[in-house]
Amino acid sequence: MSIDTLRDRYEAAGQGHLFRFWSKLNAPQQEELRTQLEALNIERVNRIYAKAVSSEAEAANPSSTTEPIEPLPKGASESATDASKVKTWRQTGLEAISRGEVGVLLMAGGQGTRLGSSAPKGCYDIGLPSHKCLFQLQAERIARLQSVAEKECSKPAGSVIIPWYVMTSGPTRRDTEDFFVKNSYFGLNPKNVIFFNQGTLPCLTMDGKVLLESPSKVAVAPDGNGGLYAATRAPLYPGKPDTVLSDLAKRKILYIHAYAVDNCLVRVADPVFLGYGIQKQADCAAKVVPKSHPTESVGVIACRGSKVSVVEYSEISKEQSERRDPETGELTFRAGNIANHFYTTEYLNQVESFEEDLAFHIARKKIPHTDLETGEFVKPSKPNGMKLEMFVFDVFPYTERFAVLEVDRKEEFSALKNAPGTGSDDPETSRRDLLAQHRRFLEKAGAKVQDGVEVEISPLVTYAGEGLESVKGKTFIKSGFVENVEELDALA
């Protein structure tokens, strides 16, 4: 595309200011800007901005036509406390895994900035005796589950594969790949660990004008965890047609487990959840945990009109948040969202057909930029622009067959969001919750653990408490971590 044609296109879109410094740029800088502007669908950016602003305005001014928010209807969700159903779901999930029908999508684009680290969040060490990071815990759960599926479904050793699709972002891609290489992919076959990038969108002024980071570079930001869907359609490698979706098709993957990296208790490719989604014939399903108390600051899965949605805690009235089921005494709005989803690959392929209808969310931020008048770099002291994000749950209302599975928070959810010492959702609570779970694994298997003793069990030893029969009758008197069952004897 000629530079004049490109400039005309941006002028027509009301974004001609991006050429403000063109005549002052040297040839490499001009090429940098030109490449970026050619790749950017500026008309789509304008549409996203307009829809985001109008949707925000509608939400701020609810009218009589606004659809009511109601709790999930009876039967729309089931609980993992039903042991007989869990056994059936688990078997169904393991069989799908053993047939090579399951893949995993990991949302891992964030940096550990709030944790005081510039490294990808998955690299973070929560302080376990083993000093294993989140990536390693999750990789080893995949490895263990592959072995469990082989054993329980009578498959040859090494024949079951769960491909792991790791979504990074621009700032974390290289560091994430280097970290996996340095750690030999935590024992997984590199062919089955596929990295792909979360998309970006330009940062905008409050009135929708694209900001320049430098005279030759547009300011961009990740497009939210909901960028997962578009990212599965983007080329894995420049100039090649391969995508996550095409790789899923090539591997004949039918079902997907998607989750966020910052949960140390996550059951990666959980056969119970997979089996539940398969048996419910769901297009999309979500794991939830019961809210800990009425005012907990967490979005809940509920109905907005006839559609299942994630409703932010700020959208629910005090009366609604405190309402309880007269029969069970449980909160009626209780289904806390934890970014843990099941999809069919068929559904992931359909998202593109309704993606234009989704409204991005506006995050007003302090965005460093180049002043158009002076050409100087500006670091604002208050919010001066917006980043546009889509959330991974924004597709829920478009799902025909949606299902919800409620699980035990202490077994499956411990978020890592806050700086050390915060007291909630921080490294110390993550460490505490994981070691408490390992204590329960041992006690359920018939062992005793003395007060103050902390035993960390590698995910390679047990995925969810299975395989620990040999500890029955033993008392653990020493703290430490083990990489195989035999090592447990040294702590008893």
Side-chain angles (χ1 to χ4, degrees):
M1 185 184 300
S2 74
I3 192 63
D4 289 338
T5 302
L6 188 63
R7 193 194 299 262
D8 288 346
R9 179 180 156 203
Y10 274 78
E11 290 285 0
Q15 304 281 5
H17 63 280
L18 295 174
F19 290 86
R20 173 75 173 77
F21 303 104
W22 182 262
S23 63
K24 298 177 183 177
L25 302 179
N26 59 35
Q29 290 173 327
Q30 288 184 342
E31 186 58 30
E32 178 186 28
L33 182 59
R34 177 185 185 142
T35 300
Q36 198 175 12
L37 295 182
E38 282 185 339
L40 185 61
N41 184 339
I42 192 61
E43 294 80 13
R44 175 175 178 262
V45 171
N46 285 347
R47 288 197 303 272
I48 288 172
Y49 166 76
K51 190 170 183 64
V53 170
S54 64
S55 294
E56 186 182 65
E58 286 176 22
N61 296 291
S63 64
S64 58
T65 59
T66 302
E67 294 182 301
I69 296 171
E70 299 290 347
L72 289 168
K74 298 280 187 184
S77 68
E78 295 197 49
S79 171
T81 56
D82 189 323
S84 62
K85 285 185 177 180
V86 165
K87 185 177 180 181
T88 303
W89 294 333
R90 181 178 180 275
Q91 186 61 35
T92 297
L94 279 179
E95 288 171 359
I97 289 168
S98 75
R99 293 191 297 265
E101 295 173 353
V102 171
V104 173
L105 287 175
L106 167 60
M107 294 172 278
Q111 293 171 292
T113 311
R114 282 199 216 168
L115 306 169
S117 168
S118 61
K121 196 182 261 191
C123 301
Y124 196 82
D125 170 7
I126 59 174
L128 293 171
S130 68
H131 292 289
K132 289 180 180 178
C133 65
L134 296 172
F135 281 140
Q136 183 166 0
L137 294 172
Q138 294 162 22
E140 291 182 353
R141 285 176 193 145
I142 290 174
R144 171 64 184 174
L145 189 55
Q146 289 174 163
S147 299
V148 169
E150 287 164 359
K151 182 179 177 182
E152 295 195 26
C153 300
S154 303
K155 298 288 184 177
S159 66
V160 171
I161 294 169
I162 303 172
W164 199 17
Y165 299 87
V166 180
M167 185 174 77
T168 62
S169 61
T172 64
R173 175 64 177 265
R174 182 183 292 274
D175 287 346
T176 302
E177 289 201 61
D178 289 349
F179 192 71
F180 271 74
V181 170
K182 178 184 174 184
N183 289 280
S184 302
Y185 287 77
F186 308 105
L188 298 177
N189 187 331
K191 292 180 181 177
N192 302 319
V193 180
I194 299 94
F195 298 99
F196 67 110
N197 261 16
Q198 180 178 357
T200 60
L201 281 170
C203 300
L204 306 175
T205 64
M206 297 302 186
D207 56 357
K209 300 298 184 183
V210 175
L211 287 164
L212 283 170
E213 180 181 313
S214 72
S216 62
K217 188 176 182 182
V218 171
V220 300
D223 56 4
N225 58 16
L228 169 74
Y229 305 108
T232 61
R233 303 191 300 269
L236 291 171
Y237 311 102
K240 294 188 177 180
D242 304 301
T243 65
V244 169
L245 291 180
S246 71
D247 195 76
L248 292 170
K250 183 173 67 177
R251 294 173 184 262
K252 297 182 171 60
I253 302 293
L254 300 180
Y255 310 108
I256 296 294
H257 177 223
Y259 69 97
V261 74
D262 57 359
N263 174 13
C264 68
L265 296 181
V266 64
R267 294 189 176 177
V268 186
D270 178 17
V272 173
F273 187 37
L274 289 161
Y276 171 72
I278 292 167
Q279 290 202 356
K280 296 286 280 189
Q281 295 186 309
D283 302 314
C284 177
K287 262 189 190 183
V288 300
V289 296
K291 285 181 69 173
S292 59
H293 54 87
T295 56
E296 183 182 8
S297 300
V298 62
V300 295
I301 297 183
C303 289
R304 201 186 294 274
S306 61
K307 299 290 187 180
V308 175
S309 302
V310 170
V311 179
E312 297 299 339
Y313 60 91
S314 57
E315 298 179 82
I316 296 175
S317 68
K318 184 173 184 292
E319 182 273 325
Q320 285 175 314
S321 68
E322 294 176 349
R323 189 190 309 166
R324 294 185 180 271
D325 186 304
E327 295 177 19
T328 65
E330 296 172 336
L331 294 171
T332 52
F333 289 94
R334 60 186 267 112
N337 177 49
I338 59 172
N340 194 314
H341 305 148
F342 163 93
Y343 307 96
T344 62
T345 49
E346 182 181 7
Y347 180 75
L348 285 182
N349 277 285
Q350 292 170 358
V351 171
E352 185 176 13
S353 67
F354 58 77
E355 209 165 36
E356 285 286 324
D357 297 331
L358 301 176
F360 280 70
H361 307 267
I362 297 172
R364 290 175 175 80
K365 301 283 187 179
K366 292 180 283 190
I367 303 171
H369 63 284
T370 295
D371 186 283
L372 291 175
E373 296 303 318
T374 65
E376 293 178 355
F377 187 69
V378 179
K379 290 190 75 172
S381 57
K382 59 183 181 181
N384 63 307
M386 58 177 69
K387 298 179 181 181
L388 297 167
E389 301 174 321
M390 187 181 289
F391 298 149
V392 69
F393 53 73
D394 286 337
V395 302
F396 287 1
Y398 297 84
T399 309
E400 288 186 26
R401 296 183 301 278
F402 192 85
V404 175
L405 180 65
E406 183 177 285
V407 298
D408 188 343
R409 180 189 290 249
K410 72 177 185 294
E411 297 297 346
E412 299 206 32
F413 185 61
S414 179
L416 180 61
K417 304 283 187 188
N418 301 321
T422 305
S424 66
D425 295 344
D426 66 11
E428 291 85 3
T429 58
S430 292
R431 179 188 191 277
R432 176 202 70 197
D433 293 346
L434 188 58
L435 292 176
Q437 181 186 66
H438 291 184
R439 172 184 283 265
R440 290 193 297 274
F441 285 169
L442 293 169
E443 291 173 343
K444 190 172 182 181
K448 292 182 179 178
V449 183
Q450 284 190 351
D451 288 347
V453 170
E454 295 179 329
V455 179
E456 179 191 348
I457 307 169
S458 168
L460 296 171
V461 174
T462 185
Y463 178 85
E466 79 293 333
L468 297 174
E469 295 78 12
S470 63
V471 306
K472 187 174 183 180
K474 294 179 179 177
T475 299
F476 289 88
I477 59 174
K478 298 176 187 174
S479 296
F481 69 93
V482 299
E483 293 293 343
N484 57 61
V485 175
E486 292 74 26
E487 290 177 2
L488 282 165
D489 290 340
L491 302 178

